[in-house]
Amino acid sequence: MRNIYEPARHVNSIFTLNGCCVSQDGAFRMVGAGVPESRRFALDVSMLFIASIASMLVGFVIVVVMGRYLGPDDLGLYRMTSTVYGIIMLGASMGLPAAVTKYTAEQGADRGAMSRSVSAGILLSLAVGICLTLLMAVFPELVSSPFNMPGLAGLLRLLSPIYPFALVGGVLLGLFNGIRKMKYYALSVMIQSGTMVVVTLGLIVAGAGVAGAVIGIASSWVASSLYLLLMSRQFFSFTLECFVPAAKNLMRFGFQMLTAGAINDINNELDTLLIGFFLTSTDVGLYAVAIMVSRFFGLIPLSVQKITYAATSSHWQENNHAALHTMIDKSMKYCSMILILGGLCVAFFAHPIVCGLFGDEFQAAILPMQILLTGMVIRGGVETSVGGSIAAIGRPDLVMGVSAVMLVVNGSLNLILIPQYGILGAALATFVSLVGGSALYVRLLVKYLSFKVDYGWYGRIYGLAFMGVILYVAGARIADATLLGVFILLGFAIAIYGLLLSNEDKNILKDLIYSFVSGR
């Protein structure tokens, strides 16, 4: 592994990267007619964010419709089906999408090497997917039996044909992420979302109930995978050449990513699984609303992470640590600003949002949602936005360690708190896990990437947010809560712009906003 303190291979004061120049201080400059890396970064993130918004809105509409017309019990059954499916998919993927992203990002213009990596990933995924389809079609009770939910086995059997399509589609998404062709990545997500909402709502209206929503999941992956297969042919040629060594390389790195990802995803779903074990499907349905609203705040940092993961591999390969540190710093700060402002908005107006959309019977989801929201905002800013950077330098084992600590903390607290406090206990356990894991990850960035954290900046922004919450809680008793919330949010936004943004930050944000609006 390359030592981070190793001198740069370039003797000039300027590094050339991706059609632009990056100075040793990490500033982006133009080279000829090339596009600045900052603008390319913004365009990639904007496309992924728009696609993620569409996907989240589809999920949001489906949950609202099911909650309104089918009730929390059926919503809980749907949520448990998708949770079990997600965990199965995680293990079945073997970490291949992340491995394909890493190797294609490093192989660059070597079409032959990329073809070998992608072809090996497709064949491995297809073989596992077919076996898994047969297994779940015949023995769905293997995973449904721990839960007292009649109908879960039948829904898992109905979902069984999806696995070959979803696994191959994941590998192709890894290809487009690695070569930074985010237009195709985003379009596949849009196709998947569009297919899901049309099929799901159509079948629910026709009276298919939860089964219709499950068929919507399956059909969406079929449509998306077919599109990815069609578009990917121009970037790689299917080959069996060097299949064994290519497969070994993918599986070696993929297994480490799988272990880390499996622990992380299990940790994300552990609260739902234990609520389903200790409580009822109605409680799962209430908690599903809290999760859905809070996880909306993962869209921006996850979109950023897809770019920072591939970009970190490229910067690390080029030994360009100045640009890497600048990218990490800006990604964390900008995501934190956006998420905290949005988080305060949702926290202040949580009651009208939840009860207005889902009805008064979902009022019990409000406080758990606010607790989860706080944890997601903190994690999204300081960890999720750059959550792939440690793995991108070849150390997914470190990420696995953080995820393992989070899993132990989350699992222990859930086992203690859920039987006593119900879904509120699950939210508290998850909050502690999210914040603790974020702190550990930042420590890894400092140690292994020699990254310098601007602790004073984070102290100021979280201090301002805390003051805003105190003012709202105290003032809402004597003033109009809606008007007070609007004034606090405006004051917070003005304080961020005036106190926390440097002139360079303001210029960068103006450039990014221009990129988002103009599409250039």
Side-chain angles (χ1 to χ4, degrees):
M1 169 152 321
R2 180 180 294 103
N3 189 322
I4 193 167
Y5 300 106
E6 176 187 342
R9 289 174 293 188
H10 304 274
V11 295
N12 303 25
S13 62
I14 299 292
F15 300 99
T16 301
L17 180 66
N18 294 328
C20 67
C21 279
V22 186
S23 65
Q24 287 183 335
D25 63 1
F28 295 105
R29 313 222 190 282
M30 292 287 294
V31 174
V35 178
E37 178 66 12
S38 60
R39 184 163 294 177
R40 184 188 182 198
F41 189 97
L43 289 174
D44 287 345
V45 171
S46 66
M47 284 188 287
L48 287 178
F49 179 63
I50 291 170
S52 298
I53 284 287
S55 179
M56 176 63 78
L57 288 176
V58 165
F60 189 81
V61 169
I62 290 173
V63 169
V64 169
V65 170
M66 294 186 70
R68 282 279 187 179
Y69 297 101
L70 300 181
D73 186 63
D74 280 347
L75 177 59
L77 185 59
Y78 171 75
R79 171 63 180 162
M80 186 58 67
T81 303
S82 61
T83 297
V84 172
Y85 155 72
I87 292 175
I88 293 173
M89 273 293 300
L90 176 66
S93 72
M94 301 181 291
L96 292 178
V100 169
T101 296
K102 175 177 173 59
Y103 285 115
T104 53
E106 293 177 352
Q107 288 158 352
D110 189 345
R111 183 184 176 96
M114 285 202 309
S115 296
R116 290 190 289 272
S117 296
V118 177
S119 298
I122 289 175
L123 285 176
L124 290 171
S125 297
L126 191 60
V128 172
I130 292 173
C131 293
L132 196 54
T133 291
L134 295 175
L135 180 65
M136 293 304 299
V138 179
F139 303 111
E141 295 82 5
L142 292 175
V143 292
S144 67
S145 56
F147 307 100
N148 185 25
M149 293 187 179
L152 181 59
L155 293 176
L156 292 174
R157 179 179 286 112
L158 186 62
L159 198 59
S160 62
I162 194 176
Y163 295 103
F165 295 97
L167 291 172
V168 172
V171 168
L172 295 176
L173 286 174
L175 164 65
F176 288 125
N177 193 5
I179 61 178
R180 298 283 294 273
K181 297 294 183 182
M182 308 315 294
K183 177 179 71 174
Y184 300 103
Y185 193 115
L187 283 173
S188 72
V189 176
M190 298 287 284
I191 290 171
Q192 185 177 13
S193 301
T195 304
M196 181 181 292
V197 71
V198 170
V199 174
T200 299
L201 296 184
L203 290 176
I204 288 178
V205 170
V210 183
V214 171
I215 294 173
I217 296 176
S219 60
S220 68
W221 262 117
V222 172
S224 175
S225 299
L226 292 177
Y227 167 78
L228 289 168
L229 283 169
L230 182 63
M231 293 297 103
S232 64
R233 295 191 306 171
Q234 60 187 301
F235 300 106
F236 86 102
S237 302
F238 187 80
T239 179
L240 294 177
E241 181 183 359
C242 300
F243 170 77
V244 173
K248 286 182 178 179
N249 287 335
L250 288 176
M251 294 187 68
R252 186 181 300 113
F253 184 81
F255 179 76
Q256 297 180 59
M257 292 298 293
L258 167 65
T259 306
I263 296 174
N264 184 63
D265 277 20
I266 291 173
N267 187 42
N268 288 339
E269 303 296 345
L270 185 61
D271 45 2
T272 299
L273 292 172
L274 290 178
I275 289 172
F277 182 79
F278 284 114
L279 305 176
T280 66
S281 58
T282 299
D283 294 301
V284 175
L286 292 171
Y287 198 68
V289 171
I291 289 176
M292 183 195 65
V293 176
S294 64
R295 288 187 181 173
F296 178 82
F297 286 80
L299 289 181
I300 293 177
L302 283 173
S303 298
V304 172
Q305 185 192 113
K306 286 182 172 65
I307 310 303
T308 57
Y309 174 60
T312 298
S313 294
S314 179
H315 287 318
W316 189 259
Q317 186 73 16
E318 292 288 331
N319 209 16
N320 192 352
H321 301 136
L324 175 59
H325 292 169
T326 299
M327 178 190 70
I328 292 174
D329 179 64
K330 300 302 182 186
S331 298
M332 291 171 62
K333 286 182 177 178
Y334 296 164
C335 282
S336 292
M337 288 187 293
I338 295 171
L339 294 179
I340 293 175
L341 183 60
L344 288 175
C345 181
V346 174
F348 290 165
F349 308 118
H351 189 277
I353 290 174
V354 172
C355 294
L357 288 172
F358 299 96
D360 291 337
E361 61 182 327
F362 285 88
Q363 187 170 350
I366 293 177
L367 184 55
M369 182 203 74
Q370 292 171 323
I371 295 172
L372 290 172
L373 177 62
T374 305
M376 288 294 292
V377 166
I378 295 173
R379 188 190 189 198
V382 302
E383 191 271 333
T384 305
S385 58
V386 292
S389 293
I390 295 295
I393 67 170
R395 295 303 304 269
D397 56 307
L398 299 175
V399 183
M400 179 179 63
V402 173
S403 298
V405 172
M406 292 176 65
L407 180 62
V408 171
V409 171
N410 196 21
S412 301
L413 291 176
N414 269 300
L415 289 172
I416 296 171
L417 297 177
I418 288 178
Q420 188 170 358
Y421 299 105
I423 63 174
L424 180 61
L428 289 169
T430 301
F431 168 80
V432 173
S433 172
L434 292 174
V435 175
S438 299
L440 289 176
Y441 191 85
V442 171
R443 177 58 185 163
L444 293 180
L445 291 176
V446 172
K447 182 176 181 180
Y448 291 94
L449 276 71
S450 194
F451 176 68
K452 294 182 180 180
V453 181
D454 190 350
Y455 292 107
W457 189 92
Y458 289 101
R460 290 191 293 274
I461 193 170
Y462 283 114
L464 287 171
F466 183 72
M467 288 176 56
V469 172
I470 296 298
L471 287 174
Y472 181 80
V473 172
R477 300 179 181 180
I478 58 176
D480 181 79
T482 301
L483 189 61
L484 178 63
V486 171
F487 276 117
I488 292 175
L489 290 171
L490 287 174
F492 183 77
I494 293 171
I496 287 178
Y497 190 83
L499 301 176
L500 297 178
L501 290 181
S502 65
N503 290 331
E504 179 191 3
D505 290 329
K506 293 174 184 178
N507 290 332
I508 291 176
L509 283 177
K510 289 177 182 177
D511 185 63
L512 297 186
I513 292 171
Y514 173 79
S515 299
F516 290 148
V517 173
S518 66
R520 297 178 181 178

